[in-house]
Amino acid sequence: QMMRSFATSFVLIILCLIFQYNGWAKPLIILSTLPLALCGAWLGLFLFDQSLGFMPQLGILALFGIVLNTAIIFVEFADILISDLAAEKAARGTGTGPIVGLTVDEFRNCLIQAGKQRMLPIFLTTATTVGGLIPLALSGGPLWEGLAWCMIVGLMLTTVLTLVVVPTLYAILVETFGITPVVLPEESNA
């Protein structure tokens, strides 16, 4: 019963992402953070000698939500930067690059700028969550320690890896497989 409910909710999340982004590429990028979160959670349980009980499983689900949110925010912000630069270049008539009028270097620079500009909010979110979980991990008792440690280590590891893996996958999908990162208004009316 519970596994069927979990599978149903996971499929619905995937379908929502696919409908939101009108394709499979960005949901794939966003969902790629889940294995990273799972590895971080398992590492936390291993390092602090905790078992994978019910509460750590709830912690992993909460961790998945936080990590997906981080990836969605990064992808959305990168899309905004790419759209703005591509529209600016199109308005000037200089948008002749292979990626919606941008050169590969300009596209990569948008991803780097998105990482730089979103790094502080992402790290602050992680720091406040970890800070709130530390008392629970240190004195929460056996019921809460596993949840807290898997979330603390999972968040710290996944936050760092997300800022590397998400832009890398984004660049690979766009540059290698030719996925269009954004649709400009001029392109959608044509």
Side-chain angles (χ1 to χ4, degrees):
Q1 175 79 20
M2 189 169 168
M3 283 306 291
R4 190 171 356 136
S5 298
F6 177 73
T8 302
S9 64
F10 189 69
V11 168
L12 289 174
I13 289 170
I14 292 171
L15 289 175
C16 286
L17 287 171
I18 289 172
F19 289 134
Q20 171 70 28
Y21 292 108
N22 295 322
W24 57 270
K26 289 180 185 171
L28 179 69
I29 294 167
I30 291 166
L31 292 171
S32 70
T33 59
L34 294 183
L36 302 175
L38 195 57
C39 290
W42 285 339
L43 179 64
L45 292 174
F46 174 75
L47 290 177
F48 293 95
D49 196 30
Q50 300 290 320
S51 63
L52 183 63
F54 180 72
M55 295 306 283
Q57 288 177 27
L58 285 180
I60 290 170
L61 291 177
L63 179 64
F64 280 179
I66 296 168
V67 167
L68 284 176
N69 186 44
T70 301
I72 289 169
I73 288 171
F74 181 89
V75 168
E76 286 291 325
F77 197 74
D79 286 349
I80 290 169
L81 292 179
I82 293 165
S83 293
D84 289 349
L85 184 58
E88 178 185 317
K89 288 190 72 165
R92 288 186 304 193
T94 58
T96 58
I99 303 169
V100 293
L102 302 177
T103 64
V104 173
D105 286 338
E106 289 170 332
F107 170 71
R108 289 179 182 174
N109 190 45
C110 286
L111 294 178
I112 291 168
Q113 289 305 314
K116 285 181 179 178
Q117 292 181 23
R118 298 311 305 163
M119 189 181 314
L120 182 62
I122 288 170
F123 279 144
L124 286 176
T125 301
T126 299
T128 56
T129 305
V130 167
L133 287 169
I134 286 176
L136 197 60
L138 297 177
S139 61
L143 182 65
W144 297 102
E145 286 177 0
L147 176 142
W149 286 122
C150 82
M151 285 188 71
I152 288 170
V153 176
L155 268 175
M156 291 192 310
L157 180 71
T158 308
T159 299
V160 172
L161 290 178
T162 296
L163 290 172
V164 174
V165 171
V166 170
T168 302
L169 278 178
Y170 200 146
I172 289 170
L173 286 174
V174 170
E175 295 173 18
T176 305
F177 296 106
I179 304 298
T180 303
V182 293
V183 178
L184 297 177
E186 295 80 15
E187 292 177 8
S188 63
N189 293 336

